[in-house]
Amino acid sequence: KAGVTQTPRYLIKTRGQQVTLSCSPISGHRSVSWYQQTPGQGLQFLFEYFSETQRNKGNFPGRFSGRQFSNSRSEMNVSTLELGDSALYLCASSLGNSGATDTQYFGPGTRLTVL
Amino acid sequence: GIQVEQSPPDLILQEGANSTLRCNFSDSVNNLQWFHQNPWGQLINLFYIPSGTKQNGRLSATTVATERYSLLYISSSQTTDSGVYFCAVGENDMRFGAGTRLTVKP
């Protein structure tokens, strides 16, 4: 089976722009979670989707949003980018209805740089 | 929210040595996972271990949920074991510790 894929792998944007990141889970997995990783804050949970519904959301401003499609693929969007949004954005999929109660499999990440 | 503390923050070993990494968490959880992040940033799931002991090759893990800690054992370490080891716990969302950075020297 193919693993979790994320596109693009690298992205450079300027402040004020918006960005959309994509995640394709492992075939058959229906739960997708997103995380932000920075040197200062470490790995932080953004949100989780299951069956096209957001199940949980982390403590991030409303500029961060996401969605899941009927084929379980997920996208996250960050609007009005700030310098502090520079990070590695990781997506994880799991077979069950929540990554918090099932083994999570991570994609390679999208490295976003905001100038 | 749940607090997750990992120790030690950094560990340097000679190839062939054994090591123990610790994860303490502040509240009861039904889920705990260990991950390895390689130098290229890829996170690999090592164990899903809310309680008990599991072994996979040179790695094993033990979680004592009643005492709120988990241990990851690495035996006969190899240079490819280098990277950052994270534990994560959660009920509705996963909380990650700050990680243990392991360097294995040849």
Side-chain angles (χ1 to χ4, degrees):
Chain A
K1 271 187 183 179
V4 178
T5 58
Q6 292 186 245
T7 57
R9 293 291 312 279
Y10 303 91
L11 205 49
I12 299 175
K13 292 285 188 179
T14 57
R15 277 180 299 175
Q17 287 186 309
Q18 75 164 18
V19 66
T20 299
L21 312 181
S22 180
C23 171
S24 292
I26 292 172
S27 178
H29 285 195
R30 296 168 63 193
S31 176
V32 173
S33 299
W34 288 89
Y35 297 86
Q36 181 196 65
Q37 186 175 27
T38 60
Q41 299 298 318
L43 273 156
Q44 294 184 284
F45 171 78
L46 279 159
F47 26 64
E48 178 180 48
Y49 287 88
F50 175 76
S51 291
E52 303 177 65
T53 301
Q54 186 179 89
R55 289 177 55 92
N56 295 295
K57 183 173 168 56
N59 189 24
F60 278 82
R63 300 185 296 108
F64 291 81
S65 63
R67 59 177 175 169
Q68 187 180 34
F69 302 95
S70 59
N71 62 357
S72 294
R73 189 177 69 85
S74 178
E75 289 181 348
M76 67 162 283
N77 183 277
V78 188
S79 62
T80 319
L81 284 166
E82 300 177 0
L83 294 179
D85 297 333
S86 294
L88 180 66
Y89 289 88
L90 291 160
C91 161
S93 75
S94 57
L95 186 60
N97 60 8
S98 172
T101 57
D102 198 2
T103 301
Q104 287 198 307
Y105 298 88
F106 279 82
T110 293
R111 186 164 295 281
L112 172 65
T113 301
V114 182
L115 302 177
Chain B
I2 298 173
Q3 304 298 313
V4 184
E5 292 183 358
Q6 292 187 242
S7 60
D10 292 280
L11 190 57
I12 300 174
L13 300 174
Q14 209 63 37
E15 201 168 27
N18 303 328
S19 61
T20 301
L21 284 57
R22 187 176 181 102
C23 172
N24 292 332
F25 43 97
S26 61
D27 206 350
S28 300
V29 294
N30 292 326
N31 173 25
L32 186 143
Q33 302 186 34
W34 282 96
F35 298 90
H36 174 224
Q37 188 168 39
N38 65 25
W40 297 271
Q42 177 71 54
L43 270 164
I44 305 294
N45 188 287
L46 299 175
F47 294 102
Y48 173 83
I49 184 165
S51 64
T53 298
K54 289 186 178 180
Q55 181 159 6
N56 184 4
R58 296 181 296 103
L59 272 60
S60 64
T62 295
T63 297
V64 184
T66 54
E67 297 187 22
R68 303 177 188 172
Y69 74 89
S70 183
L71 302 173
L72 178 69
Y73 306 96
I74 305 174
S75 64
S76 304
S77 58
Q78 301 175 357
T79 55
T80 52
D81 295 331
S82 295
V84 183
Y85 290 80
F86 291 100
C87 75
V89 303
E91 292 293 328
N92 297 312
D93 61 281
M94 296 297 288
R95 300 291 179 99
F96 281 76
T100 292
R101 181 173 298 277
L102 174 65
T103 303
V104 180
K105 294 188 172 182

